[in-house]
Every structure is written in structure tokens, then in C-alpha cells.
Amino acid sequence: MKVLLTGALGFIGARIDAQLTARGDEVVRVDAVIPQAHAQGTEVPEGLHRLDVRDAAQWADLLDGVDVVCHQAAMVGAGVTVADLPLYAGHNDLGTAALLAAMHDRGVDALVVASSMVVYGEGRYACEEHGRQVPGVRSRAALDSGDFENHCPTCDRALSWELVPEDALLDPRSSYAASKLAQEHYTSSWVRQARSRAIGLRYHNVYGPGMPRDTPYSGVAAIFRSSLEHGQAPRVFEDGGQMRDFVHVDDVARANLASIDAVVGREAESWSAYNVCSGSPVPIIRVAELLAQAADGPAPEVTGDYRPGDVRHVVASPELAADELGFRAQVTPEAGVEEFATAPLR
């Protein structure tokens, strides 16, 4: 199979590339090598096309003979400043739209696109007395007072979290989240207009060897790692009780290969999205503790600080991906995070 892979030099893209190559697929590699993901002076390996997905019409000849596109290129992170908004809109929204137009022009009708669990906003919640609830945005006053939980609007009890299925409400609450949902909307529209096929993969907290180090756009696991390498305690926001699903990068790559095989075999006008997760939720403080213990570093510091736009709990159901793609994660967070404590970073 011939696969065009965008973001091929990135943290996740490189692992997908390795797995595709190992099984004998032909990979056409594209990456813009943006500074938010790659250090200055990053060497571009032979065979990689240093091209910007926003200019896909200019390099559309690379799509000739391609069976499927695996679209990983994106500006990532929660949005460090408001000034990042144009970067998210450009790389993620415009980039995806430009790629879809170029694919249609060259007759390529199968796509796997990297999305994110951030499209859900807050996860799924329930009150033990009043049932399922959809919480609003947590107020700054509550956060400033140290009240980080979502509360039932009827009885004011703290809500309990539940696993989020793919048909849950989509409610992005950051600039990055808005851009990832836009990618999904452009893709689903392209599927209908171009009679094409696509799968969106909603990654949860991806970690593993090769994560970018010392950048505010990195995932929280890499930020904790960087602190420990500098002899500093990992700084944990809120009270550390935020529930997340940490999924190893090798499992994410396996999910992409399963999706590539699935989407090529589907009929036209097919769009579906899947959670890509470990299925084993953990609190943020536990991840910091595991890393500190494995690195023999200082214990985490729970700061009580918060970031506007962060959500309290968001953890996923892995069942649809298991049923329809045959994908289940193989690396548990307990094992993977311990290994990650000494794994090489980018």
C-alpha cells in the first residue's frame, strides 16, 4: 500500500512511519518542521519532503498513486497564548482544507486524520441523585477558591466522571480544541461532497519516547519529565485529581495502521471517529508520582494553579475502536509511564 504521511517527522508521525515501513508499505513523507514541534536546526532526513500542508496544491503531485493519506500534521498543545490562534487556524483548519482539496483533485479518496479528545471539552458526568449532567465552564471564582470539581446544578454535589463514548456532546473549550473539531467537520463534509472515506482518531494523552522536550506545547508527561531532568519537582495544576487517559505512542501508531487498513476497505461516503486510549484512566498526580519515583527525583508539587480552558475530567471508552477497528491498547499507563521516565526525548 502507498501511504502519504503528513507530520512524518513528528512525535507520533515518526512512530507511524516506522510501523508502516516495517510491514512493507511505501511511505511518502511530508513535514513542515514547525518550530513549536522541532528544535532549531533539526536535520531533515533523506526521503522526507519539507513542505507545508497549507500549500498542498503546490505539491499535489506527491499524491499521485497514493492509496490513503494519514494526516498527522498539526499545531498541537492547549494554546499557550491568544496569539497562537492564527497558528491553530492556519495549520489545523486551513491545512486540512487545503489537503482535502488536493486529494480530491488527484483522486485520492481515503483519509485517516488525527483528532483529539479535546473535542469533547469536559467529559461525561453524573450526579448520584439526579443522573447525567452537562456541566458548564468552571468559573474563575470557584477555581480561585480551590474548588475544581463540576457540580450538580440541582443539589450542588460534586459530579462523578464517566467514560466518554464517541457519540458524546462535542464542546471544544480551547483554541486547539476548536481547531481539531474544525478538522473533523471539514473532513466529514469532504466525505459527503467528494464521496470519499475517512476515519478520525481522537487521541487521548499521548506520551512515550521521542516527545518534544522543554516546550510549552508538549504534553504534560514531557513537561513533568523536563522538570525532573532539571532537578525540579513536577508542578501539578489544580489538586492533581484531574482524570485522564494516557496512551502510549506505539499504541497510537497501531491504531493508525488499523485505521488505514479499515478505511481503504470501506465504501464511499463513510465517516467515523474513534477514541484512541489505554482504557485505564489515571489522575494527573499519579503520572507525576510515577515519573518522580522512576527518575529518583523530587516529589510532585501540587500548586493549586489552573489554566483557563482546561477541563476537569475527560476519559474515554475504548469499546468502539475495539469492536470496529480491532484496536486495543497494549501498554498500560503504569508500565508505560515508568519506562518513559528514562526514555529519550526529542
Side-chain angles (χ1 to χ4, degrees):
M1 191 181 309
K2 187 174 182 179
V3 182
L4 187 142
L5 175 63
T6 72
L9 195 59
F11 166 47
I12 296 172
R15 302 300 266 212
I16 297 171
D17 184 5
Q19 291 190 21
L20 286 170
T21 302
R23 75 175 193 178
D25 290 317
E26 179 183 355
V27 183
V28 181
R29 303 168 182 89
V30 172
D31 200 301
V33 197
I34 63 174
Q36 290 81 9
H38 303 277
Q40 185 176 4
T42 294
E43 183 178 348
V44 177
E46 185 178 355
L48 183 137
H49 303 275
R50 186 168 185 173
L51 300 165
D52 194 320
V53 71
R54 294 170 294 181
D55 297 325
Q58 304 302 314
W59 50 260
D61 56 313
L62 294 180
L63 288 161
D64 291 346
V66 163
D67 298 297
V68 57
V69 171
C70 185
H71 182 34
Q72 305 296 313
M75 172 77 180
V76 301
V80 176
T81 71
V82 173
D84 289 332
L85 278 165
L87 291 173
Y88 287 110
H91 286 283
N92 301 355
D93 302 5
L94 176 60
T96 299
L99 176 63
L100 293 172
M103 289 174 63
H104 181 59
D105 183 61
R106 296 293 173 135
V108 181
D109 64 355
L111 174 72
V112 175
V113 59
S115 185
S116 171
M117 56 90 172
V118 296
V119 300
Y120 297 121
E122 287 283 359
R124 176 168 282 194
Y125 294 84
C127 171
E128 61 182 23
E129 181 177 353
H130 299 103
R132 188 161 291 154
Q133 303 292 326
V134 179
V137 176
R138 295 179 295 170
S139 73
R140 286 182 180 263
L143 295 171
D144 287 338
S145 72
D147 178 8
F148 302 114
E149 298 292 351
N150 290 295
H151 293 266
C152 176
T154 302
C155 67
D156 202 39
R157 286 192 181 97
L159 298 174
S160 59
W161 58 268
E162 298 181 340
L163 296 181
V164 182
E166 286 80 353
D167 61 357
L169 174 73
L170 303 182
D171 182 21
R173 298 193 178 187
S174 70
S175 51
Y176 173 60
S179 73
K180 297 308 286 185
L181 184 55
Q183 284 186 285
E184 289 198 19
H185 286 164
Y186 279 120
T187 301
S188 62
S189 297
W190 169 79
V191 161
R192 294 187 295 273
Q193 289 180 280
R195 293 187 53 78
S196 299
R197 299 159 287 166
I199 286 174
L201 297 179
R202 293 173 181 162
Y203 302 158
H204 285 250
N205 291 69
V206 186
Y207 71 97
M211 285 187 82
R213 69 167 74 238
D214 297 328
T215 165
Y217 299 93
S218 296
V220 67
I223 293 172
F224 289 162
R225 261 287 309 270
S226 293
S227 296
L228 289 163
E229 288 183 346
H230 289 95
Q232 301 168 355
R235 297 183 74 253
V236 180
F237 282 8
E238 302 189 14
D239 61 0
Q242 309 94 300
M243 295 299 297
R244 296 290 188 271
D245 189 304
F246 283 79
V247 58
H248 196 277
V249 66
D250 287 340
D251 280 327
V252 174
R254 282 189 280 269
N256 274 273
L257 266 66
S259 299
I260 286 168
D261 293 341
V263 77
V264 168
R266 291 185 176 180
E267 296 182 359
E269 294 191 59
S270 169
W271 159 252
S272 49
Y274 300 94
N275 290 323
V276 177
C277 59
S278 72
S280 301
V282 293
I284 290 287
I285 185 63
R286 180 59 179 154
V287 174
E289 290 170 345
L290 286 169
L291 288 170
Q293 292 163 9
D296 196 23
E301 174 191 355
V302 178
T303 67
D305 293 339
Y306 64 88
R307 296 185 304 182
D310 275 0
V311 299
R312 182 59 178 171
H313 306 300
V314 55
V315 293
S317 169
E319 297 307 320
L320 189 64
D323 292 344
E324 297 190 3
L325 299 178
F327 167 75
R328 280 196 185 274
Q330 298 177 10
V331 182
T332 66
E334 295 277 335
V337 170
E338 183 176 358
E339 174 208 27
F340 175 65
T342 54
L345 297 183
R346 185 180 297 275

CSV table of all heavy atoms in Angstrom, one decimal, residues 246-287:
chain,number,residue,atom,x,y,z
A,246,PHE,N,-3.9,8.2,29.6
A,246,PHE,CA,-2.6,8.3,29.0
A,246,PHE,C,-2.3,7.0,28.1
A,246,PHE,O,-2.3,5.9,28.6
A,246,PHE,CB,-1.5,8.4,30.0
A,246,PHE,CG,-1.4,9.8,30.6
A,246,PHE,CD1,-2.3,10.1,31.6
A,246,PHE,CD2,-0.5,10.7,30.2
A,246,PHE,CE1,-2.3,11.4,32.2
A,246,PHE,CE2,-0.4,12.0,30.8
A,246,PHE,CZ,-1.3,12.3,31.7
A,247,VAL,N,-2.1,7.3,26.8
A,247,VAL,CA,-1.9,6.2,25.8
A,247,VAL,C,-0.6,6.3,25.2
A,247,VAL,O,-0.1,7.4,24.8
A,247,VAL,CB,-3.1,6.3,24.8
A,247,VAL,CG1,-3.1,7.6,24.0
A,247,VAL,CG2,-3.0,5.1,23.8
A,248,HIS,N,0.1,5.2,25.1
A,248,HIS,CA,1.5,5.1,24.6
A,248,HIS,C,1.5,5.4,23.1
A,248,HIS,O,0.6,5.0,22.4
A,248,HIS,CB,2.1,3.8,24.9
A,248,HIS,CG,3.6,3.7,24.8
A,248,HIS,ND1,4.2,3.5,23.6
A,248,HIS,CD2,4.6,3.9,25.8
A,248,HIS,CE1,5.5,3.5,23.8
A,248,HIS,NE2,5.8,3.8,25.1
A,249,VAL,N,2.6,6.1,22.7
A,249,VAL,CA,2.7,6.4,21.3
A,249,VAL,C,2.7,5.2,20.3
A,249,VAL,O,2.2,5.3,19.2
A,249,VAL,CB,3.9,7.3,21.0
A,249,VAL,CG1,5.2,6.6,21.3
A,249,VAL,CG2,3.9,7.9,19.6
A,250,ASP,N,3.3,4.1,20.8
A,250,ASP,CA,3.3,2.9,20.0
A,250,ASP,C,1.9,2.4,19.8
A,250,ASP,O,1.5,1.9,18.7
A,250,ASP,CB,4.2,1.8,20.6
A,250,ASP,CG,5.7,2.2,20.4
A,250,ASP,OD1,6.0,3.0,19.5
A,250,ASP,OD2,6.5,1.6,21.2
A,251,ASP,N,1.0,2.5,20.8
A,251,ASP,CA,-0.4,2.1,20.6
A,251,ASP,C,-1.1,3.0,19.7
A,251,ASP,O,-1.9,2.6,18.9
A,251,ASP,CB,-1.1,2.1,22.0
A,251,ASP,CG,-0.8,0.8,22.8
A,251,ASP,OD1,-0.6,-0.2,22.2
A,251,ASP,OD2,-0.7,0.9,24.1
A,252,VAL,N,-0.8,4.3,19.8
A,252,VAL,CA,-1.4,5.3,18.8
A,252,VAL,C,-1.0,4.9,17.4
A,252,VAL,O,-1.8,5.0,16.5
A,252,VAL,CB,-1.0,6.7,19.2
A,252,VAL,CG1,-1.5,7.7,18.1
A,252,VAL,CG2,-1.5,7.1,20.5
A,253,ALA,N,0.3,4.6,17.2
A,253,ALA,CA,0.7,4.2,15.8
A,253,ALA,C,-0.1,2.9,15.4
A,253,ALA,O,-0.5,2.8,14.2
A,253,ALA,CB,2.2,3.9,15.8
A,254,ARG,N,-0.3,2.0,16.3
A,254,ARG,CA,-1.0,0.8,15.9
A,254,ARG,C,-2.4,1.1,15.6
A,254,ARG,O,-3.0,0.5,14.6
A,254,ARG,CB,-1.0,-0.2,17.1
A,254,ARG,CG,0.3,-1.0,17.2
A,254,ARG,CD,0.2,-2.1,18.2
A,254,ARG,NE,0.4,-1.7,19.6
A,254,ARG,CZ,1.6,-1.6,20.2
A,254,ARG,NH1,2.7,-2.0,19.6
A,254,ARG,NH2,1.6,-1.1,21.4
A,255,ALA,N,-3.0,2.1,16.3
A,255,ALA,CA,-4.4,2.5,15.9
A,255,ALA,C,-4.5,3.1,14.5
A,255,ALA,O,-5.4,2.9,13.8
A,255,ALA,CB,-4.9,3.5,17.0
A,256,ASN,N,-3.4,3.8,14.2
A,256,ASN,CA,-3.4,4.4,12.8
A,256,ASN,C,-3.3,3.3,11.7
A,256,ASN,O,-4.0,3.4,10.7
A,256,ASN,CB,-2.3,5.4,12.7
A,256,ASN,CG,-2.6,6.8,13.2
A,256,ASN,OD1,-3.1,7.6,12.4
A,256,ASN,ND2,-2.4,7.1,14.5
A,257,LEU,N,-2.5,2.3,12.0
A,257,LEU,CA,-2.3,1.3,11.0
A,257,LEU,C,-3.6,0.5,10.8
A,257,LEU,O,-4.1,0.2,9.7
A,257,LEU,CB,-1.2,0.3,11.3
A,257,LEU,CG,0.1,0.7,10.7
A,257,LEU,CD1,0.7,2.0,11.2
A,257,LEU,CD2,1.2,-0.4,10.9
A,258,ALA,N,-4.3,0.2,12.0
A,258,ALA,CA,-5.6,-0.4,11.9
A,258,ALA,C,-6.6,0.4,11.1
A,258,ALA,O,-7.4,-0.1,10.3
A,258,ALA,CB,-6.1,-0.7,13.3
A,259,SER,N,-6.6,1.7,11.3
A,259,SER,CA,-7.5,2.6,10.6
A,259,SER,C,-7.2,2.7,9.2
A,259,SER,O,-8.1,2.8,8.3
A,259,SER,CB,-7.4,4.0,11.3
A,259,SER,OG,-7.8,3.9,12.6
A,260,ILE,N,-5.9,2.8,8.8
A,260,ILE,CA,-5.5,2.8,7.4
A,260,ILE,C,-6.1,1.6,6.7
A,260,ILE,O,-6.7,1.7,5.6
A,260,ILE,CB,-4.0,2.9,7.3
A,260,ILE,CG1,-3.5,4.3,7.6
A,260,ILE,CG2,-3.5,2.5,5.9
A,260,ILE,CD1,-2.0,4.4,7.8
A,261,ASP,N,-5.9,0.4,7.3
A,261,ASP,CA,-6.4,-0.8,6.6
A,261,ASP,C,-8.0,-0.8,6.6
A,261,ASP,O,-8.5,-1.2,5.5
A,261,ASP,CB,-6.0,-2.0,7.4
A,261,ASP,CG,-4.5,-2.2,7.4
A,261,ASP,OD1,-3.8,-1.7,6.5
A,261,ASP,OD2,-3.9,-2.9,8.3
A,262,ALA,N,-8.6,-0.3,7.6
A,262,ALA,CA,-10.1,-0.3,7.6
A,262,ALA,C,-10.6,0.7,6.6
A,262,ALA,O,-11.6,0.4,5.9
A,262,ALA,CB,-10.6,0.1,9.0
A,263,VAL,N,-10.1,1.9,6.5
A,263,VAL,CA,-10.7,3.0,5.7
A,263,VAL,C,-10.5,2.6,4.2
A,263,VAL,O,-11.4,2.9,3.4
A,263,VAL,CB,-10.1,4.4,6.0
A,263,VAL,CG1,-8.7,4.6,5.4
A,263,VAL,CG2,-11.1,5.5,5.6
A,264,VAL,N,-9.4,2.0,3.8
A,264,VAL,CA,-9.3,1.6,2.4
A,264,VAL,C,-10.3,0.6,2.0
A,264,VAL,O,-10.7,0.6,0.8
A,264,VAL,CB,-7.8,1.1,2.2
A,264,VAL,CG1,-7.7,0.4,0.9
A,264,VAL,CG2,-6.8,2.2,2.4
A,265,GLY,N,-10.8,-0.2,2.9
A,265,GLY,CA,-11.7,-1.2,2.6
A,265,GLY,C,-13.2,-0.8,2.7
A,265,GLY,O,-14.1,-1.6,2.4
A,266,ARG,N,-13.4,0.4,3.1
A,266,ARG,CA,-14.8,0.9,3.3
A,266,ARG,C,-15.4,1.5,2.0
A,266,ARG,O,-14.7,1.9,1.1
A,266,ARG,CB,-14.9,1.9,4.4
A,266,ARG,CG,-14.6,1.3,5.7
A,266,ARG,CD,-14.8,2.3,6.9
A,266,ARG,NE,-14.6,1.6,8.2
A,266,ARG,CZ,-14.7,2.2,9.3
A,266,ARG,NH1,-15.0,3.5,9.4
A,266,ARG,NH2,-14.6,1.6,10.5
A,267,GLU,N,-16.7,1.5,2.0
A,267,GLU,CA,-17.4,2.1,0.8
A,267,GLU,C,-17.4,3.6,0.9
A,267,GLU,O,-17.1,4.2,1.9
A,267,GLU,CB,-18.9,1.6,0.8
A,267,GLU,CG,-19.0,0.1,0.6
A,267,GLU,CD,-20.4,-0.3,0.5
A,267,GLU,OE1,-21.3,0.5,0.6
A,267,GLU,OE2,-20.7,-1.5,0.3
A,268,ALA,N,-17.7,4.3,-0.3
A,268,ALA,CA,-17.7,5.7,-0.3
A,268,ALA,C,-18.7,6.3,0.7
A,268,ALA,O,-19.6,5.7,1.1
A,268,ALA,CB,-18.0,6.2,-1.8
A,269,GLU,N,-18.4,7.6,1.0
A,269,GLU,CA,-19.2,8.4,1.9
A,269,GLU,C,-19.3,7.7,3.3
A,269,GLU,O,-20.4,7.5,3.9
A,269,GLU,CB,-20.7,8.6,1.4
A,269,GLU,CG,-20.7,9.5,0.1
A,269,GLU,CD,-22.1,9.9,-0.3
A,269,GLU,OE1,-22.7,10.6,0.6
A,269,GLU,OE2,-22.5,9.6,-1.4
A,270,SER,N,-18.1,7.4,3.8
A,270,SER,CA,-18.0,6.7,5.1
A,270,SER,C,-17.2,7.6,6.0
A,270,SER,O,-16.0,7.9,5.7
A,270,SER,CB,-17.3,5.3,5.0
A,270,SER,OG,-17.0,4.8,6.2
A,271,TRP,N,-17.7,8.1,7.1
A,271,TRP,CA,-17.0,8.9,8.1
A,271,TRP,C,-17.3,8.3,9.5
A,271,TRP,O,-18.5,8.1,9.9
A,271,TRP,CB,-17.4,10.3,8.0
A,271,TRP,CG,-17.1,11.1,9.3
A,271,TRP,CD1,-18.0,11.6,10.2
A,271,TRP,CD2,-15.8,11.5,9.8
A,271,TRP,NE1,-17.4,12.2,11.3
A,271,TRP,CE2,-16.0,12.2,11.0
A,271,TRP,CE3,-14.5,11.3,9.4
A,271,TRP,CZ2,-15.0,12.7,11.8
A,271,TRP,CZ3,-13.5,11.8,10.1
A,271,TRP,CH2,-13.7,12.5,11.3
A,272,SER,N,-16.3,8.1,10.3
A,272,SER,CA,-16.4,7.7,11.7
A,272,SER,C,-15.2,8.1,12.5
A,272,SER,O,-14.1,8.3,11.9
A,272,SER,CB,-16.6,6.2,11.8
A,272,SER,OG,-15.6,5.5,11.1
A,273,ALA,N,-15.5,8.4,13.8
A,273,ALA,CA,-14.4,8.8,14.7
A,273,ALA,C,-14.3,7.8,15.8
A,273,ALA,O,-15.3,7.2,16.2
A,273,ALA,CB,-14.7,10.2,15.2
A,274,TYR,N,-13.1,7.6,16.3
A,274,TYR,CA,-12.8,6.7,17.4
A,274,TYR,C,-11.9,7.2,18.5
A,274,TYR,O,-11.0,8.0,18.2
A,274,TYR,CB,-12.1,5.4,16.8
A,274,TYR,CG,-12.9,4.7,15.7
A,274,TYR,CD1,-12.8,5.0,14.4
A,274,TYR,CD2,-13.9,3.8,16.1
A,274,TYR,CE1,-13.5,4.3,13.4
A,274,TYR,CE2,-14.7,3.1,15.1
A,274,TYR,CZ,-14.4,3.4,13.8
A,274,TYR,OH,-15.2,2.8,12.8
A,275,ASN,N,-12.2,6.9,19.7
A,275,ASN,CA,-11.3,7.2,20.8
A,275,ASN,C,-10.1,6.3,20.7
A,275,ASN,O,-10.2,5.1,20.4
A,275,ASN,CB,-12.0,6.9,22.1
A,275,ASN,CG,-13.1,7.9,22.5
A,275,ASN,OD1,-13.0,9.1,22.2
A,275,ASN,ND2,-14.1,7.4,23.1
A,276,VAL,N,-8.9,6.9,20.9
A,276,VAL,CA,-7.7,6.1,21.0
A,276,VAL,C,-7.1,6.4,22.4
A,276,VAL,O,-6.6,7.4,22.7
A,276,VAL,CB,-6.6,6.6,19.9
A,276,VAL,CG1,-5.3,5.8,20.0
A,276,VAL,CG2,-7.2,6.4,18.5
A,277,CYS,N,-7.3,5.4,23.2
A,277,CYS,CA,-7.0,5.5,24.6
A,277,CYS,C,-6.5,4.2,25.2
A,277,CYS,O,-6.6,3.1,24.5
A,277,CYS,CB,-8.2,6.0,25.4
A,277,CYS,SG,-9.6,4.8,25.2
A,278,SER,N,-5.9,4.2,26.4
A,278,SER,CA,-5.5,3.0,27.0
A,278,SER,C,-6.6,2.2,27.6
A,278,SER,O,-6.5,1.0,27.9
A,278,SER,CB,-4.4,3.3,28.1
A,278,SER,OG,-5.1,3.9,29.2
A,279,GLY,N,-7.7,2.9,28.0
A,279,GLY,CA,-8.8,2.3,28.7
A,279,GLY,C,-8.5,2.2,30.2
A,279,GLY,O,-9.3,1.5,30.9
A,280,SER,N,-7.5,2.8,30.7
A,280,SER,CA,-7.1,2.8,32.1
A,280,SER,C,-6.9,4.2,32.6
A,280,SER,O,-5.7,4.6,32.7
A,280,SER,CB,-5.8,1.9,32.3
A,280,SER,OG,-6.0,0.6,31.8
A,281,PRO,N,-7.9,4.9,33.0
A,281,PRO,CA,-7.8,6.3,33.5
A,281,PRO,C,-6.9,6.4,34.7
A,281,PRO,O,-7.0,5.5,35.6
A,281,PRO,CB,-9.2,6.7,33.8
A,281,PRO,CG,-10.1,5.7,33.0
A,281,PRO,CD,-9.3,4.4,33.0
A,282,VAL,N,-6.2,7.5,34.8
A,282,VAL,CA,-5.4,7.8,36.0
A,282,VAL,C,-5.4,9.2,36.3
A,282,VAL,O,-5.6,10.1,35.4
A,282,VAL,CB,-3.9,7.4,35.8
A,282,VAL,CG1,-3.7,5.9,35.7
A,282,VAL,CG2,-3.3,8.0,34.5
A,283,PRO,N,-5.3,9.6,37.6
A,283,PRO,CA,-5.2,11.0,37.9
A,283,PRO,C,-3.9,11.6,37.5
A,283,PRO,O,-2.8,10.9,37.6
A,283,PRO,CB,-5.4,11.1,39.4
A,283,PRO,CG,-5.0,9.7,39.9
A,283,PRO,CD,-5.3,8.8,38.8
A,284,ILE,N,-3.8,12.9,37.2
A,284,ILE,CA,-2.6,13.6,36.8
A,284,ILE,C,-1.5,13.4,37.9
A,284,ILE,O,-0.3,13.2,37.6
A,284,ILE,CB,-2.9,15.0,36.5
A,284,ILE,CG1,-3.7,15.2,35.2
A,284,ILE,CG2,-1.6,15.8,36.4
A,284,ILE,CD1,-3.0,15.0,34.0
A,285,ILE,N,-1.9,13.5,39.1
A,285,ILE,CA,-0.9,13.4,40.2
A,285,ILE,C,-0.2,12.1,40.2
A,285,ILE,O,1.0,11.9,40.5
A,285,ILE,CB,-1.6,13.7,41.6
A,285,ILE,CG1,-0.5,13.7,42.7
A,285,ILE,CG2,-2.6,12.6,41.9
A,285,ILE,CD1,0.5,14.8,42.6
A,286,ARG,N,-0.9,11.0,39.8
A,286,ARG,CA,-0.3,9.7,39.8
A,286,ARG,C,0.8,9.6,38.7
A,286,ARG,O,1.8,9.0,38.9
A,286,ARG,CB,-1.4,8.6,39.5
A,286,ARG,CG,-0.9,7.2,39.5
A,286,ARG,CD,-0.2,6.8,40.7
A,286,ARG,NE,0.3,5.4,40.7
A,286,ARG,CZ,1.3,5.0,41.4
A,286,ARG,NH1,2.0,5.8,42.2
A,286,ARG,NH2,1.7,3.7,41.3
A,287,VAL,N,0.5,10.2,37.6
A,287,VAL,CA,1.5,10.3,36.5
A,287,VAL,C,2.8,11.0,37.0
A,287,VAL,O,3.9,10.5,36.8
A,287,VAL,CB,1.0,10.9,35.2
A,287,VAL,CG1,2.0,11.1,34.2
A,287,VAL,CG2,-0.2,10.1,34.7
